[in-house]
Amino acid sequence: MSTSTSGRPLPVLVAGGGIGGVAASLALARQGHSVTVLEQAPQLGEIGAGIQLGPNAFAAFDALGIGELARSRAVYTDEMVMHDALDERLVGRIPTDGHFRARFGNPYAVIHRADIHTSLLEGARALGNIETLTGTRIERIEQDGDTVTAYDQHGRAHVGQALIGADGVKSVVRQQYVGDAARVSGHVVYRAVVEKDDFPEDLRWNAASIWVGPNYHLVHYPLRGGEQYNVVVTFHSRDSEQWGVREGSREEVQSYYRDCCPRARQLIDLPQSWKRWATADREPIGQWSFGRATLLGDAAHPTLQYLAQGACMALEDAVTLGEALKRCGGEWPRALQLYERSRIARTARVVLSAREMGRIFHASGVQRLVRNELWKGRSPERFYDAMEWLYGWTADSCLAQD
């Protein structure tokens, strides 16, 4: 183990203090490592609105020791439901009741991103061996075999025994070691949170609900005990897009939904303000560990939102990283190779499957009719069988076999 001049073990450096970064810090701190989180924002926090959590996310929460904290802040849905946005026809319904929980060992839920982040932070702070440096953007990394040095925008050197690049979709760590380009999807996402009293009564379902249309869809579900509702609209942009976030325009959203049925279309008239995301992913890669540095979460495998698995994958990454380090007795290069080997195929499958799911959601013409017919009358068990590969993940079996 690398040590400082004082003889104490060097910390593990974690670039990024979002969900993935804090989850990784928690996984490492639970094994006794000191962790230094380097976060470029002036304070820790999560932007965005609600996200969906599959059973695999709750398996990860339990492995990180914050299962009850996260569960206390989640809203448990009765079902996932899909409607055709042109004619209101029910396309598919997947119950997330007791049978679902029995099958996968955990619930399906929705939650505000900030509530996940808060739960992870509370778990991390309870351990006391995690230091956070905000306003610190990593610009360059050097390695000498036994240590990693990260240099920030002020020229300060941060020395650690390893570096976890959890610095998001525009990762500086990935840029240095991989240098690949983002794949801009052309899909634009608008997100907003609406108070319950302003949300249509006829859509106040305890469900993760999606309305699918030609080159667009709408999502809504309850948050924070049903006192708020998350509203997400996605469409194929008619303009050339650049990956990023900015304020949105109600007029732009409305222009893409002219053929949408009135019941679903009322959703886009609700928010007073929107955040606009131009989305992108990256092609899956076969290596994301380099000596004592590795990637995690969106830095490793940014994905489109169509499987609702971005945060879930980051949580799985964190648990797997911790388990790999435990199995390898703290030998970082070997542990990072095992971590990578355990995650690459699974996360690549999520990235590629999310692209395909987006195509299915946004089908038009005859393809739309085929989609609706494909899922018509499908039993819950058939849906569960199709989801087993995704939702059946556990911490006990997360490592690849040697």
Side-chain angles (χ1 to χ4, degrees):
M1 180 178 292
S2 304
T3 59
S4 66
T5 54
S6 66
R8 292 192 299 270
L10 290 170
V12 181
L13 305 177
V14 176
I19 288 174
V22 179
S25 301
L26 180 54
L28 297 170
R30 282 168 59 84
Q31 294 190 35
H33 290 279
S34 295
V35 180
T36 299
V37 179
L38 308 173
E39 167 57 41
Q40 65 177 326
Q43 60 186 25
L44 285 182
E46 272 291 329
I47 64 170
I51 57 175
Q52 301 178 51
L53 296 175
N56 51 323
F58 287 98
F61 287 140
D62 289 338
L64 293 170
I66 60 160
E68 292 309 310
L69 278 175
R71 284 176 170 81
S72 70
R73 293 179 166 117
V75 175
Y76 300 97
T77 56
D78 296 325
E79 59 187 356
M80 293 180 273
V81 61
M82 177 186 289
H83 287 88
D84 190 305
L86 297 185
D87 59 14
E88 297 192 26
R89 180 176 303 177
L90 177 67
V91 177
R93 170 173 280 134
I94 307 173
T96 52
D97 54 12
H99 295 294
F100 179 95
R101 297 187 185 204
R103 173 66 181 269
F104 297 112
N106 271 302
Y108 196 92
V110 292
I111 192 170
H112 199 288
R113 291 187 68 92
D115 291 336
I116 297 179
H117 199 248
T118 296
S119 299
L120 290 166
L121 281 174
E122 289 177 0
R125 287 167 177 161
L127 296 175
N129 52 347
I130 300 175
E131 177 187 20
T132 301
L133 302 179
T134 56
T136 304
R137 174 181 169 80
I138 297 306
E139 295 191 340
R140 178 169 57 90
I141 303 107
E142 293 182 358
Q143 299 192 46
D144 67 4
D146 294 325
T147 63
V148 179
T149 303
Y151 294 90
D152 66 22
Q153 78 272 33
H154 304 295
R156 294 175 300 198
H158 306 270
V159 182
Q161 57 182 293
L163 171 69
I164 314 303
D167 48 343
V169 293
K170 296 185 177 180
S171 168
V172 173
V173 181
R174 180 168 180 144
Q175 183 60 34
Q176 175 167 327
Y177 286 108
V178 182
D180 59 337
R183 175 186 169 274
V184 179
S185 69
H187 300 185
V188 170
V189 179
Y190 273 68
R191 295 184 174 97
V193 174
V194 178
E195 297 300 321
K196 176 183 176 181
D197 291 345
D198 298 324
F199 197 80
E201 288 190 30
D202 65 333
L203 295 179
R204 292 180 191 173
W205 308 332
N206 187 33
S209 306
I210 183 169
W211 299 78
V212 291
N215 293 324
Y216 65 76
H217 73 268
L218 306 94
V219 170
H220 58 94
Y221 49 80
L223 293 173
R224 293 177 166 166
E227 292 306 309
Q228 296 176 325
Y229 281 82
N230 198 51
V231 177
V232 183
V233 301
T234 301
F235 53 83
H236 294 199
S237 177
R238 60 178 73 97
D239 301 317
S240 178
E241 294 291 337
Q242 299 293 320
W243 197 0
V245 184
R246 60 179 173 83
E247 294 299 318
S249 156
R250 178 180 295 184
E251 291 72 27
E252 181 189 30
V253 176
Q254 292 172 333
S255 73
Y256 283 91
Y257 290 84
R258 301 197 188 283
D259 62 355
C260 184
C261 66
R263 193 177 190 194
R265 197 175 187 279
Q266 64 183 319
L267 292 168
I268 68 176
D269 296 324
L270 296 174
Q272 298 302 307
S273 63
W274 292 96
K275 283 290 185 182
R276 183 190 194 274
W277 277 259
T279 65
D281 62 9
R282 294 184 190 269
E283 294 297 338
I285 54 176
Q287 179 184 2
W288 65 50
S289 294
F290 306 87
R292 287 175 172 259
T294 195
L295 303 174
L296 183 145
D298 284 345
H301 43 74
T303 182
L304 301 180
Q305 73 277 21
Y306 298 110
L307 285 180
Q309 281 288 309
C312 300
M313 287 296 107
L315 294 166
E316 286 187 12
D317 286 350
V319 172
T320 305
L321 175 63
E323 291 299 313
L325 194 60
K326 184 188 302 181
R327 177 183 288 185
C328 295
E331 295 181 28
W332 277 102
R334 190 160 70 92
L336 295 185
Q337 290 174 9
L338 176 58
Y339 156 69
E340 173 187 279
R341 193 164 72 250
S342 302
R343 295 301 295 163
I344 281 178
R346 176 168 172 80
T347 55
R349 184 176 181 181
V350 169
V351 170
L352 299 177
S353 297
R355 292 179 188 173
E356 177 62 12
M357 189 60 71
R359 188 188 68 79
I360 292 171
F361 284 173
H362 295 170
S364 60
V366 173
Q367 291 187 9
R368 164 182 167 255
L369 301 179
V370 172
R371 177 201 62 208
N372 293 357
E373 188 68 21
L374 181 66
W375 287 336
K376 181 180 178 181
R378 180 174 290 193
S379 69
E381 285 301 324
R382 285 191 64 195
F383 279 117
Y384 298 165
D385 289 344
M387 295 171 174
E388 179 65 39
W389 73 273
L390 186 60
Y391 293 157
W393 180 91
T394 67
D396 293 336
S397 59
C398 67
L399 294 180
Q401 297 300 310
D402 292 326

